[in-house]
Amino acid sequence: MHRCWDVPELKLAIFKNLDDYDAMRDASVFGASDREWNFPPPRKMRALAHLATTCREFSDCALDLMWAVQHDYRHLLSCLPTDTWMMDDRGQFHIHASLRPEDWDRVLFHSHRIKEMYDTKSGCVKVHPSVLDALLASLPPGPLLPNIRALSCRSVTPLFPHLATLVGRKLIEVQVELSDEKPWCLSAIQKIAATSPVLQRVLIAGRSPQYMEWSMRFISTLDQLRSLSLDAIDATLFDHISTLERLESLSLHKLGSQILSSSMTSLPHHPRFPALRTLHIATASLECVPIFLPAVNCSPLRMFTVVCRAGVTSLRNEASNAIAAIGAYCSPSHLTFIKIKLGPEDRLGPMEAGASPLPGDALRPLLRLSCLRHVELVYPGAFLPDDSFIQYAAISWSALEEFSIQCQSGWQPQTTLSSVLSLAQHCPRLRSLVLDVNATDI
């Protein structure tokens, strides 16, 4: 065998360039008996399986890639001795023999390779709580997933209360869906935080009445937090996350102006979001944007996205005020990416009743942000910049690489081919342009 295969990095790079994991699936690989999971692996998995059985030199690397990402525990459970378990016609997992510690040897041989575990809603293994208790009682000491880096879990699953005993201390990212009101949910996520000292990225979703309180008590124990995504937020939770010294990325999916109004005066002299670089706001009203942005006035913000699904009739004034606040409070020396997506629909269609154009002057506050490289504006009425505005924008945003202004059909654009020429002259790095122009006169 050639000596190049002795270089682990080279071997890993070659194996990673097999067929894309999600691109192809071969339904003929597995059958439908109770010993087979009827979960056809992608073609890449089959190629890696061949490599793993070719020789010892390939085995470890191929197995590492095969096991790196798992979407439930079915493959681990299938590594138990075949005479100890079975699957019924409803997909329920059963054990019909007591498990000994040595029965877990093959499971543990592969479980240390798992780096990401995502508890998907479809195709999950169904395990009765009594069966789960028997499985956990027979586990050898130590975490089942000692090298896991990312974990997705849902509070409605029977395994959720036991996750802290299964994961190791290398967990970096966790996604939690709190859709259950049972009190042990808080205890479960607190145990995960206690056993994961390097936890840096957290996503908390759910509609539980205790969502705010549980999120606060969970986040307050994390001193390494760098990325946070929340479905809802109150004043207390906002005050806490604004003081996190290492927080670099923040996503708020239901931001309200009333919550912020009561919070913005509580810590007037404390620096807020000192390390924030990426901010995503989803809201039902743009009124919260001018209230929130003063909190990031001193942040090294580089990427800002705002999504608002309000009705078209209420967006005009709110959009102008929000854009003015973006230009006033975002740092012109740091911000390179801005995306403003407004309107109730994901896709823009014909002009809606009540929609009104937003003149190009409303966008002028953004010209202060001279380091912008990506600008994307989506409005259910229309942004109507003229050639003069596009010329100033091209001069101000000379580093522009992607520029997109999207609106509904039915509006007569005020830009002409002169705008395209201005962008071509002043933005040498521009590689993507979406802009309606009036090409009547050439």
Side-chain angles (χ1 to χ4, degrees):
M1 185 174 291
H2 197 279
R3 293 181 61 184
C4 71
W5 293 110
D6 295 335
V7 182
E9 294 82 5
L10 179 59
K11 186 163 48 181
L12 182 63
I14 294 173
F15 287 6
K16 279 185 175 180
N17 279 280
L18 297 172
D19 292 343
D20 185 72
Y21 180 88
D22 294 318
M24 300 181 181
R25 292 184 180 272
D26 187 350
S28 65
V29 175
F30 282 137
S33 69
D34 61 356
R35 290 296 181 190
E36 295 162 337
W37 298 91
N38 198 23
F39 186 78
R43 189 168 296 181
K44 179 177 180 179
M45 292 296 103
R46 188 166 62 173
L48 288 172
H50 290 322
L51 287 170
T53 56
T54 297
C55 64
R56 293 181 182 275
E57 190 68 34
F58 293 167
S59 180
D60 279 341
C61 184
L63 287 173
D64 286 344
L65 289 176
M66 288 178 65
W67 285 92
V69 180
Q70 296 294 309
H71 292 277
D72 54 32
Y73 295 86
R74 66 179 66 197
H75 297 112
L76 279 179
L77 293 177
S78 67
C79 292
L80 291 169
T82 56
D83 60 346
T84 61
W85 63 273
M86 66 168 292
M87 289 283 293
D88 61 22
D89 295 336
R90 296 176 297 176
Q92 190 85 18
F93 181 85
H94 300 274
I95 55 175
H96 47 72
S98 58
L99 295 174
R100 301 163 298 176
E102 55 267 26
D103 292 335
W104 290 92
D105 289 347
R106 188 162 174 253
V107 176
L108 297 175
F109 177 75
H110 295 298
S111 66
H112 78 278
R113 307 176 191 274
I114 297 177
K115 301 298 189 297
E116 302 175 23
M117 177 71 77
Y118 299 102
D119 187 6
T120 57
K121 294 184 179 180
S122 59
C124 293
V125 180
K126 300 176 183 178
V127 183
H128 192 273
S130 61
V131 177
L132 180 60
D133 291 340
L135 289 171
L136 295 173
S138 63
L139 265 176
L144 178 64
L145 307 172
N147 297 316
I148 192 168
R149 303 291 196 275
L151 174 68
S152 172
C153 48
R154 296 178 296 138
S155 61
V156 295
T157 59
L159 193 60
F160 186 79
H162 310 284
L163 285 175
T165 62
L166 300 180
V167 300
R169 298 177 62 82
K170 299 180 181 180
L171 190 65
I172 296 176
E173 177 181 352
V174 63
Q175 301 176 12
V176 182
E177 181 181 331
L178 297 175
S179 53
D180 205 324
E181 301 180 17
K182 296 179 181 178
W184 49 255
C185 289
L186 174 61
S187 175
I189 59 176
Q190 286 181 321
K191 289 179 181 178
I192 293 176
T195 57
S196 308
V198 295
L199 194 59
Q200 298 177 3
R201 297 188 291 272
V202 171
L203 182 151
I204 307 177
R207 300 171 181 163
S208 170
Q210 290 83 16
Y211 179 88
M212 302 291 188
E213 178 188 354
W214 290 355
S215 298
M216 176 65 186
R217 295 177 67 176
F218 177 49
I219 296 170
S220 62
T221 62
L222 306 175
D223 57 0
Q224 302 288 330
L225 196 59
R226 295 180 181 273
S227 176
L228 178 62
S229 178
L230 297 171
D231 267 4
I233 189 172
D234 60 9
T236 303
L237 186 54
F238 175 82
D239 283 340
H240 175 72
I241 64 175
S242 67
T243 61
L244 296 176
E245 296 183 354
R246 302 190 181 190
L247 187 65
E248 298 176 355
S249 176
L250 176 63
S251 295
L252 302 174
H253 299 286
K254 296 179 182 178
L255 190 63
S257 57
Q258 293 181 348
I259 293 173
L260 292 177
S261 297
S262 62
S263 177
M264 295 303 293
T265 58
S266 58
L267 296 174
H269 303 297
H270 197 285
R272 296 178 182 267
F273 302 107
L276 192 66
R277 288 173 170 80
T278 302
L279 175 63
H280 174 91
I281 292 177
T283 178
S285 171
L286 286 175
E287 291 179 351
C288 66
V289 175
I291 300 174
F292 180 91
L293 285 181
V296 300
N297 189 31
C298 298
S299 305
L301 195 65
R302 297 187 179 185
M303 300 180 66
F304 178 53
T305 302
V306 57
V307 178
C308 179
R309 296 305 181 198
V312 294
T313 56
S314 62
L315 277 176
R316 180 184 169 93
N317 292 333
E318 291 183 9
S320 298
N321 294 335
I323 292 172
I326 293 172
Y329 294 110
C330 292
S331 171
S333 61
H334 291 98
L335 194 68
T336 61
F337 179 105
I338 185 169
K339 179 177 180 180
I340 304 175
K341 192 171 183 179
L342 310 178
E345 300 293 336
D346 291 334
R347 295 184 179 181
L348 296 174
M351 183 170 54
E352 296 183 13
S356 57
L358 198 65
D361 288 343
L363 302 176
R364 288 191 178 274
L366 300 181
L367 299 181
R368 172 176 172 268
L369 308 173
S370 57
C371 292
L372 284 175
R373 296 199 297 263
H374 179 110
V375 177
E376 182 177 352
L377 307 173
V378 181
Y379 183 62
F383 289 112
L384 291 180
D386 53 17
D387 289 337
S388 175
F389 172 82
I390 296 297
Q391 183 178 14
Y392 283 121
I395 296 173
S396 300
W397 303 334
S398 58
L400 202 61
E401 299 175 4
E402 299 180 39
F403 186 36
S404 173
I405 296 182
Q406 302 178 47
C407 59
Q408 289 174 317
S409 57
W411 300 99
Q412 181 68 27
Q414 298 183 11
T415 50
T416 66
L417 292 175
S418 297
S419 295
V420 180
L421 179 60
S422 297
L423 291 168
Q425 289 177 334
H426 300 287
C427 305
R429 300 178 184 176
L430 186 66
R431 63 175 187 269
S432 176
L433 175 63
V434 179
L435 179 67
D436 289 340
V437 298
N438 186 347
T440 303
D441 299 324
I442 301 179

